[in-house]
Amino acid sequence: MKNVNFLSIFLVAVLFATNVNAQFSRQQANDLVLNDVLSDDVGKIDVFSSFNSVTASVDLIDNDNVTNPYAEAWVFFSDDSPFASWYHGSRVIFVSTINGDYTINDLQIYPKGLSSDYEEISSADRPDPVVMDGTSFQPDPEKVLSNYNYALIVVSMDNPRNWYNTSLIYNVLIQNYNYQEQNIFVLYSWDGNSAATPNYNDLDGDGNYDDIDGEATWDNIQSTIAQLTTDLGHGDQLAVFFTGVPVNTALVEPRFAFPVNEYFSALYPVSGISEPMEDIDCGQMLLTFDVNSSSDVSWYFEADNGTDVLCENRYLHGPTGSNEENYAEMYFSGGNYSEQLFYWASAARGYLPDVFAQEPWNIWEEFGELGLENGGGDYETYIPNHPGDNELDDDLDSFIQMGEAFEYADDMNTWTAAYCYLPYNDVPLVAPQQTDEIPFAEDLLTLAGLSGYIENTQNMPSRSYIMADNLYLNSGISLAFDNNTEFYLNMNNNEGSGDFVFSEKFEPESESGYPVFYCYENSNLSFGTNSYLKNNPDLSALGYIVFFGHSVQIGSGSSFDNVQLSTMPTSYELSLTNVTFKNISIGFFANSNNQIESCALDSSLFWIPGRDTEISNCNFTNSSCWVFTFNQGSNYLEVDECDFSGDCPVFYWNVPLNIKDYSDFNILNTTITDCNFGISIQFSGWGRAHNFNNIEVGNVDEMGISAFSSRINIDSSYIHNCGANGLFLNNHCSIDLTGNPGAHYVHETQRIMDNDEEEVYTDDSSFPVPFIWNAVIDDDPHVFNTLVYCKEPVYTEKDVRYNYWGNNFDPEVNFFPPEVYIWEPTFDLIYEEEEKSDAQVLYETAQEKFESEDFTGAKSDFQQVIGQYPDTRYAQ
């Protein structure tokens, strides 16, 4: 009985104590805060409620704290700018558990344990992001990475937006600005790891979790800057990005917040980073502050604020003004990215970053699909009240430099008038200040690459170079790039800045409207062996390069990609060996001789106006070769062992090989297949040499060989399966069409066969003489083609005796007009080659032994052919 009474008394006491200490429940506190204290702001802010009541002060993430005025209270945190980076205006509310009294404290940073110790009970309205189709980024397999660009990315806090920003920076640097992964240093959070997304430390989606290099602690940042000071040279470039780093401007000097451990961060003066960076002796610095109050921070990094700054060529940029908050991009990414970096990446890539797939290495729609001009974004179509967009490529060099991309991001950013998704904001937006520091001149190095005046003859070491705005090579100066140089041009087919000029303060204008790259006034330009020159990135418009001057040299093994290249009239000989040209238009206007050997062209147009020209062992894929002269004097052309295949550039009927005004020529051992056209020749061959020997033209869309006012000896050739005529001869040509009189099979003589229209089309003045020992065939049973067509009027009989006309030959059908032809006797040939006889097999075996210098074996086999098969032509 006593035990029961004691238990009853104990339960009553506990119940009484609980009612005293928790008269105001958590649910009552939630209702009070949402329906009374913050009622005017609900829907504009994010509100968090502590799971448990507290008796102590509330610790903030930056090691500060807020005093709890009550013995016990429920804690509420109001994020008043939920799309902004820290520090920004917020509130912490204490509600007494005794009677519901409350206090409100203003602060700028969030409580420790916000993600684990608090529940979000109200959210600000978010816009529905625009839904677009995603596309995987397709890297250029031929892209050559730059080994002189370095980057440092510093991120204090691990949360989704900061991880997406980091990954976006990382991938834009690699995909668009040619950075090597090992030259990008990422310092992230307190332990150098991310748990904010499923990708963790894999920033580029390659499945390797090794892209974060270390923790973003103060000591590690200092040691990394020291390492960069040691590693970087005057020819290197450094880009530094601060994103996800809180900035406190309440003190005299702004302070960065960097983590001390998993739970707290500490504040460090900005000068503690800016001053050590003064000792980095590199060619160019880009400093980007994707933080609040970026104008206040960037000021410390300006070159003229240092005592002995080694790198004065700096570009500083940030999205916010003094004491202004930095916001998330909401309309496309739903807050996954900061605005500045999202639109910077859009500009640099020409694509919107992929946000719904949460893979920043991928992309959305290409800007061009949105009908946007010059890569710019017509976001007004998708975002209400947007003020409109400027063109991206301000200097019209057809390359979106980092500075241009950041300027574009400024136009898109929150401080732009009438554009900002801020459901709760009472602070006016302020335009930040970007700083362009001292540009280079003689040094030539900028963020984008080469620029300035070259006033002294010099050799450029082997390295990746990217052209910047203007490059001048003064009169009488020589500029030589060493072997294995990578040279990137950033040009466009628009007039304006971005010209590439090799001349003393001379700004030429191109009639085509292309900016031009000049080597002029007795200057000399040379590229060493295995050089790589490319219009970067790949553009629909060709860059335009013109070399004036004493000489230009291109080393063996070099590669040129996506540029328009010309050498204007000069006195030197042009010699190219083993050079590759891709997506290129080339004009070599030399007053002397040209020699081109073992070169490869892909999707290119080759102009070679000049004197004597020799082209040998070259491959033309989807490419054209145009050779012509400006005079009617004696000149010689030889094309030997060349191969043309694929559709040619759209120009003058897409002719792969066009010859004009050459007095003498030899076109030898050359194949043209699967092209739009075959060979076109005009006003040529009136000298001593005028030969087409061992030529194959087949499977072309139009004519095989078109001749106009030219003299040609065509022999040992194979013209077949052309979409129009095999031969088209016009306007007083002199044609010798002679095959092999000793042939037994069709394939052993000259063949013109199986073309869709006439095998030979000619006018009376151009009819071939002699026309003999050829196989002229079209045995398609469904088509009765005219094999030889002579355009009327015809004034003389046409002698076509001793030619083979195929199995279904009918002179009344196959000749036009039939009455003018003398065609008997014919040339008796075996159309289809028979199965090889034993004699033929043994004979060919003997030939192979002879060619391999097995003379004893060859002699034995030859004697066996004679002994066993004396009546065959192989024995003969």
Side-chain angles (χ1 to χ4, degrees):
M1 188 66 177
K2 289 181 180 180
N3 290 338
V4 173
N5 289 339
F6 177 77
L7 178 60
S8 299
I9 295 171
F10 175 76
L11 290 175
V12 170
V14 169
L15 181 60
F16 176 78
T18 301
N19 289 337
V20 169
N21 293 324
Q23 291 178 344
F24 208 77
S25 68
R26 181 172 183 265
Q27 184 59 53
Q28 288 176 304
N30 287 353
D31 293 339
L32 171 69
V33 168
L34 294 180
N35 298 324
D36 186 7
V37 179
L38 300 177
S39 60
D40 293 339
D41 301 331
V42 169
K44 304 175 183 178
I45 59 177
D46 289 348
V47 183
F48 301 83
S49 170
S50 62
F51 288 110
N52 301 302
S53 59
V54 299
T55 57
S57 299
V58 172
D59 292 328
L60 305 181
I61 194 67
D62 65 351
N63 259 351
D64 202 352
N65 61 74
V66 183
T67 302
N68 182 357
Y70 305 111
E72 185 175 4
W74 303 107
V75 181
F76 295 84
F77 175 71
S78 169
D79 186 348
D80 294 341
S81 295
F83 310 137
S85 300
W86 302 101
Y87 284 75
H88 64 247
S90 301
R91 290 169 284 183
V92 65
I93 302 168
F94 294 94
V95 177
S96 170
T97 60
I98 302 299
N99 53 20
D101 288 345
Y102 65 88
T103 60
I104 302 175
N105 298 77
D106 292 328
L107 61 155
Q108 289 193 313
I109 199 73
Y110 56 90
K112 169 181 167 291
L114 181 64
S115 61
S116 58
D117 299 338
Y118 292 78
E119 175 190 14
E120 186 173 17
I121 59 174
S122 180
S123 299
D125 293 334
R126 265 80 170 169
D128 293 328
V130 177
V131 178
M132 300 174 69
D133 294 331
T135 305
S136 295
F137 184 87
Q138 299 297 325
D140 179 1
E142 298 180 358
K143 180 182 64 180
V144 180
L145 298 178
S146 167
N147 197 35
Y148 69 95
N149 283 330
Y150 292 78
L152 171 63
I153 307 172
V154 181
V155 187
S156 289
M157 299 183 299
D158 181 28
N159 62 43
R161 189 198 308 173
N162 293 337
W163 185 93
Y164 287 123
N165 288 344
T166 307
S167 176
L168 193 61
I169 297 168
Y170 190 84
N171 286 286
V172 169
L173 292 178
I174 292 173
Q175 294 172 349
N176 300 95
Y177 293 109
N178 297 342
Y179 283 67
Q180 296 192 31
E181 294 182 17
Q182 61 265 31
N183 290 349
I184 303 176
F185 301 91
V186 181
L187 305 182
Y188 193 94
S189 192
W190 67 274
D191 63 348
N193 291 282
S194 172
T197 73
N199 297 97
Y200 302 106
N201 292 2
D202 180 12
L203 298 176
D204 56 5
D206 63 358
N208 297 319
Y209 297 89
D210 57 359
D211 299 326
I212 294 177
D213 299 285
E215 63 273 10
T217 60
W218 178 257
D219 290 342
N220 201 33
I221 293 169
Q222 297 297 313
S223 63
T224 302
I225 293 174
Q227 186 64 46
L228 290 170
T229 304
T230 301
D231 292 346
L232 268 63
H234 190 58
D236 296 318
Q237 300 169 10
L238 176 64
V240 181
F241 294 82
F242 294 96
T243 182
V245 178
V247 174
N248 190 325
T249 58
L251 302 174
V252 175
E253 179 180 334
R255 293 177 179 263
F256 284 135
F258 295 116
V260 176
N261 54 40
E262 181 179 1
Y263 303 103
F264 293 108
S265 294
L267 295 174
Y268 300 92
V270 169
S271 60
I273 292 179
S274 64
E275 291 178 1
M277 292 184 67
E278 295 176 4
D279 295 329
I280 298 179
D281 185 14
C282 63
Q284 169 79 30
M285 280 189 189
L286 166 80
L287 296 124
T288 303
F289 306 94
D290 179 56
V291 297
N292 288 346
S293 306
S294 58
S295 292
D296 296 327
V297 174
S298 62
W299 182 87
Y300 287 84
F301 291 84
E302 293 181 13
D304 55 8
N305 288 329
T307 56
D308 189 18
V309 177
L310 296 180
C311 176
E312 294 185 343
N313 189 16
R314 298 187 176 199
Y315 182 90
L316 294 89
H317 186 274
T320 59
S322 179
N323 297 309
E324 187 191 355
E325 298 162 5
N326 185 41
Y327 292 98
E329 195 288 319
M330 299 302 299
Y331 287 101
F332 285 92
S333 75
N336 277 343
Y337 297 90
S338 293
E339 280 185 329
Q340 179 203 37
L341 295 175
F342 182 88
Y343 294 114
W344 168 74
S346 299
R349 283 174 157 178
Y351 293 86
L352 296 175
D354 188 325
V355 292
F356 292 122
Q358 299 181 346
E359 297 174 344
W361 48 89
N362 288 336
I363 54 179
W364 276 358
E365 291 286 353
E366 185 178 5
F367 276 7
E369 296 297 321
L370 303 178
L372 311 178
E373 182 178 359
N374 291 332
D378 183 17
Y379 290 100
E380 191 171 7
T381 303
Y382 300 94
I383 305 174
N385 301 319
H386 189 271
D389 311 303
N390 294 335
E391 290 183 353
L392 272 168
D393 190 9
D394 292 334
D395 61 6
L396 302 178
D397 65 356
S398 206
F399 177 73
I400 306 304
Q401 300 176 28
M402 283 195 190
E404 291 174 329
F406 279 119
E407 289 171 4
Y408 180 76
D410 288 345
D411 293 336
M412 300 298 298
N413 219 313
T414 52
W415 57 265
T416 306
Y419 166 57
C420 186
Y421 187 80
L422 299 177
Y424 182 89
N425 183 47
D426 56 3
V427 179
L429 299 176
V430 181
Q433 180 178 355
Q434 289 73 48
T435 304
D436 267 319
E437 297 285 0
I438 302 170
F440 268 67
E442 176 70 8
D443 202 300
L444 308 183
L445 294 169
T446 73
L447 179 66
L450 299 180
S451 181
Y453 292 91
I454 304 175
E455 299 173 350
N456 299 299
T457 292
Q458 55 190 288
N459 294 324
M460 305 297 290
S462 173
R463 188 172 61 223
S464 295
Y465 294 99
I466 302 177
M467 291 295 297
D469 284 342
N470 293 298
L471 184 58
Y472 299 86
L473 181 58
N474 287 351
S475 177
I477 301 303
S478 295
L479 179 65
F481 293 92
D482 204 356
N483 300 339
N484 303 302
T485 290
E486 301 156 8
F487 194 83
Y488 296 92
L489 303 169
N490 310 321
M491 298 186 292
N492 192 14
N493 62 337
N494 295 301
E495 295 181 344
S497 61
D499 293 348
F500 300 89
V501 180
F502 278 79
S503 167
E504 187 171 2
K505 300 181 180 180
F506 174 61
E507 301 266 358
E509 293 183 0
S510 166
E511 292 181 0
S512 65
Y514 294 110
V516 290
F517 168 15
Y518 267 77
C519 175
Y520 193 60
E521 295 181 4
N522 298 316
S523 55
N524 301 285
L525 177 66
S526 66
F527 293 92
T529 61
N530 301 310
S531 296
Y532 183 70
L533 188 146
K534 183 177 183 181
N535 194 19
N536 180 42
D538 285 334
L539 302 166
S540 58
L542 297 175
Y544 191 72
I545 309 174
V546 178
F547 295 119
F548 281 96
H550 181 68
S551 70
V552 56
Q553 299 177 12
I554 301 173
S556 174
S558 296
S559 177
F560 281 53
D561 192 346
N562 207 41
V563 295
Q564 181 158 326
L565 176 65
S566 295
T567 63
M568 298 307 289
T570 56
S571 59
Y572 65 89
E573 294 189 0
L574 174 68
S575 178
L576 297 175
T577 302
N578 190 27
V579 179
T580 299
F581 299 96
K582 182 178 181 181
N583 301 318
I584 204 164
S585 180
I586 313 162
F588 292 110
F589 294 80
N591 281 335
S592 191
N593 299 334
N594 304 310
Q595 187 166 5
I596 301 166
E597 181 179 0
S598 301
C599 293
L601 283 84
D602 184 355
S603 304
S604 297
L605 175 62
F606 218 163
W607 292 70
I608 312 176
R611 296 284 181 88
D612 294 352
T613 297
E614 297 183 17
I615 306 172
S616 60
N617 295 290
C618 293
N619 290 319
F620 294 78
T621 303
N622 301 112
S623 299
S624 296
C625 179
W626 287 65
V627 283
F628 54 94
T629 63
F630 293 116
N631 58 73
Q632 299 297 322
S634 176
N635 40 63
Y636 175 71
L637 167 68
E638 181 173 302
V639 179
D640 188 14
E641 296 285 353
C642 291
D643 180 79
F644 296 79
S645 62
D647 292 340
C648 306
V650 180
F651 192 76
Y652 279 79
W653 307 304
N654 312 93
V655 179
L657 178 57
N658 185 79
I659 304 162
K660 184 175 182 292
D661 290 328
Y662 270 92
S663 62
D664 295 84
F665 60 82
N666 282 307
I667 313 300
L668 313 171
N669 310 308
T670 290
T671 301
I672 300 176
T673 56
D674 302 308
C675 297
N676 314 85
F677 205 97
I679 301 174
S680 176
I681 182 168
Q682 310 99 42
F683 306 108
S684 299
W686 302 109
R688 294 184 177 182
H690 33 75
N691 300 304
F692 281 10
N693 180 269
N694 194 24
I695 304 297
E696 179 183 356
V697 180
N699 300 313
V700 301
D701 296 336
E702 300 295 335
M703 289 170 277
I705 296 176
S706 173
F708 186 90
S709 297
S710 296
R711 183 180 180 188
I712 318 170
N713 294 341
I714 305 175
D715 67 272
S716 304
S717 296
Y718 181 30
I719 316 300
H720 64 98
N721 299 103
C722 300
N725 316 105
L727 299 181
F728 186 89
L729 315 173
N730 193 26
N731 197 38
H732 301 282
C733 289
S734 177
I735 307 296
D736 181 333
L737 199 61
T738 302
N740 175 19
H744 292 273
Y745 293 94
V746 166
H747 72 273
E748 293 176 334
T749 191
Q750 183 156 265
R751 290 165 288 168
I752 308 169
M753 56 191 295
D754 298 329
N755 300 292
D756 287 357
E757 297 179 14
E758 295 81 14
E759 307 307 309
V760 179
Y761 180 99
T762 177
D763 63 14
D764 187 68
S765 67
S766 303
F767 198 90
V769 178
F771 189 157
I772 192 170
W773 310 122
N774 302 284
V776 184
I777 308 168
D778 194 335
D779 279 348
D780 187 340
H782 303 292
V783 179
F784 296 97
N785 285 341
T786 302
L787 299 179
V788 183
Y789 186 105
C790 187
K791 180 182 177 183
E792 296 181 312
V794 180
Y795 300 105
T796 60
E797 290 184 320
K798 306 305 179 188
D799 188 348
V800 293
R801 290 175 294 174
Y802 300 104
N803 288 288
Y804 178 73
W805 308 104
N807 295 325
N808 300 319
F809 173 59
D810 182 348
E812 295 295 323
V813 174
N814 297 134
F815 294 142
F816 180 87
E819 66 274 7
V820 304
Y821 290 85
I822 304 172
W823 58 272
E824 290 183 305
T826 60
F827 189 20
D828 293 330
L829 295 175
I830 300 173
Y831 188 176
E832 298 294 334
E833 181 175 349
E834 297 176 350
E835 184 178 352
K836 290 182 179 180
S837 65
D838 292 339
Q840 181 181 357
V841 172
L842 186 57
Y843 177 83
E844 291 175 352
T845 301
Q847 281 187 313
E848 292 173 359
K849 290 181 179 179
F850 186 84
E851 291 171 357
S852 64
E853 299 184 358
D854 179 10
F855 301 119
T856 301
K859 178 180 178 181
S860 176
D861 289 345
F862 283 135
Q863 288 175 338
Q864 186 177 354
V865 171
I866 296 171
Q868 293 185 4
Y869 311 102
D871 297 327
T872 65
R873 67 189 183 98
Y874 299 102
Q876 297 171 9

